[in-house]
Amino acid sequence: MPVRIRIYGKEATFSRGCWSCEDDTLQAMLEALADPRALTQEQERTHALYAAGRFGGMIASEAGDWAPAPHPEAEIKITDFAPAQQPERAGWLSFLRKKR
């Protein structure tokens, strides 16, 4: 069963790993996030919830009501770059700093 979301007042549908939408700009944004592996109904709903959350949209429930989608958890965290032992030496150019 296709999952419907609403972003920026436009509706889009996700079904069988593909997005369909009347707005070309929104379609392109959603296709950039498309997961072709989402084949089951639960996987489709999970992916649609993620996409709606990324853009601050809403998702349709089974009853037809619209609910705000929660923002997904951050993919990159500051702890990935800043070690807890020496946060002042963090960053990807840390090798250029003078050693004491």
Side-chain angles (χ1 to χ4, degrees):
M1 182 172 180
V3 182
R4 294 182 313 146
I5 65 170
R6 185 179 291 165
I7 300 173
Y8 308 129
K10 308 285 184 187
E11 287 192 29
T13 306
F14 184 68
S15 178
R16 298 184 188 199
C18 297
W19 285 101
S20 61
C21 180
E22 292 181 8
D23 185 57
D24 293 335
T25 306
L26 181 58
Q27 173 109 12
M29 290 169 43
L30 293 171
E31 284 179 357
L33 297 176
D35 185 5
R37 301 170 295 170
L39 300 176
T40 66
Q41 186 174 0
E42 183 62 34
Q43 290 172 334
E44 286 180 353
R45 181 152 181 82
T46 302
H47 176 68
L49 189 62
Y50 171 77
R54 282 286 300 257
F55 297 117
M58 302 176 81
I59 189 162
S61 66
E62 301 288 329
D65 299 334
W66 292 95
H71 290 285
E73 189 172 329
E75 296 171 8
I76 299 174
K77 298 180 176 134
I78 193 68
T79 56
D80 296 338
F81 297 101
Q85 298 87 355
Q86 299 173 335
E88 68 279 354
R89 300 182 124 213
W92 66 283
L93 293 176
S94 61
F95 62 90
L96 293 176
R97 294 195 181 109
K98 284 186 173 182
K99 307 255 192 248
R100 292 183 183 181

